[in-house]
Amino acid sequence: MGKNWNIYFDQIKDKYCFYKIAKDFFCRDACEIAAPSDYESFIFFMNKHKKVIAKPSRGGCGSGIIILDLLNFENNTEKAFNHLLSFNTPFILEEIVEQDTRIAQWNASSLNTLRIPSFRTAKGNRIIYPSIRIGRSGSIVDNAGSGGTFAAIDPQTGKIITKGYDKRGNSFDKHPDSQITYIGMQIPKWDELLVFVRKMHESMA
């Protein structure tokens, strides 16, 4: 990143800005709602998807994330739009994706995700300290900051190599709700995922 690293880092922290940078790798629709002028974009997006996940563009730890369903607003897009504007913060709306059943089995109410840090070096991209994040029963987010659990993954094999932990310092041999054992569980399609991560990183200037 050089001397302008802070500019690039700020772009990555903004969810919609990062979406525009890495759009080809998101594999889902998204749009930004930041002002009353975004109403037409909102109508188009909601008419297409009906039910979406809405995230504060600069939020963290899963805070403020909601599922926005037009049925809860009597299919009135204006009411749903005004509801988002009432939070006084920009949102990114994302198409809801269906996760692999082998990941969903940990906790079906949340989209359980992987975090795979990638660093560019003189010898190419290096992947270190990947982890899996798993939500708790009834929660729509997997963030540790919102009660979820996390565990480390061996970057070579894609197997979970630690117990699960939460932000309060509790550790778990098994997920506290689904009772699936953490250590030894294989992340599906791990080799394909590493290729995907490297291609994404290499696409960024």
Side-chain angles (χ1 to χ4, degrees):
M1 291 185 181
K3 63 181 180 180
N4 295 320
W5 69 268
N6 56 324
I7 296 175
Y8 295 115
F9 188 63
D10 196 55
Q11 291 176 336
I12 292 174
K13 288 195 297 183
D14 185 294
K15 292 180 176 64
Y16 188 69
C17 184
F18 183 67
Y19 170 75
K20 291 188 292 184
I21 293 171
K23 184 177 180 179
D24 292 341
F25 297 89
F26 260 66
C27 304
R28 60 189 182 275
D29 284 344
C31 77
E32 184 180 43
I33 302 301
S37 57
D38 294 319
Y39 185 51
E40 292 301 319
S41 297
F42 180 78
I43 292 176
F44 178 82
F45 197 79
M46 294 306 294
N47 282 342
K48 182 178 181 181
H49 297 294
K50 307 298 182 183
K51 182 178 179 180
V52 302
I53 191 160
K55 306 174 182 177
S57 291
R58 285 189 165 266
C61 297
S63 179
I65 295 178
I66 60 173
I67 291 179
L68 193 71
D69 189 342
L70 279 183
L71 287 178
N72 294 332
F73 297 90
E74 301 172 332
N75 287 315
N76 187 314
T77 53
E78 185 175 3
K79 285 183 179 180
F81 182 72
N82 288 334
H83 177 69
L84 280 185
L85 291 184
S86 71
F87 290 96
N88 295 313
T89 188
F91 274 85
I92 179 174
L93 306 187
E94 296 182 10
E95 174 187 3
I96 293 177
V97 299
E98 184 177 347
Q99 63 189 323
D100 189 294
T101 55
R102 290 166 291 183
I103 299 298
Q105 67 176 329
W106 289 88
N107 183 62
S109 67
S110 59
L111 181 63
N112 308 308
T113 61
L114 305 174
R115 287 292 180 266
I116 306 178
S118 175
F119 292 87
R120 184 176 295 171
T121 72
K123 297 181 179 180
N125 288 346
R126 183 185 176 196
I127 293 172
I128 61 172
Y129 305 126
S131 61
I132 185 170
R133 309 190 316 173
I134 304 164
R136 295 295 305 273
S137 180
S139 176
I140 65 169
V141 298
D142 62 357
N143 306 70
S146 295
T149 68
F150 57 93
I153 300 169
D154 183 330
Q156 300 300 320
T157 66
K159 289 185 178 181
I160 297 176
I161 54 175
T162 67
K163 296 180 179 182
Y165 296 89
D166 64 18
K167 199 170 183 179
R168 296 174 181 171
N170 299 312
S171 65
F172 310 93
D173 292 322
K174 298 180 179 181
H175 186 272
D177 301 310
S178 62
Q179 296 299 303
I180 297 174
T181 300
Y182 289 93
I183 294 178
M185 179 62 72
Q186 176 70 51
I187 303 301
K189 299 184 178 180
W190 182 250
D191 290 339
E192 293 178 38
L193 182 57
L194 294 186
V195 171
F196 183 88
V197 170
R198 292 190 175 100
K199 285 183 177 179
M200 183 177 184
H201 197 157
E202 291 167 358
S203 74
M204 302 173 68

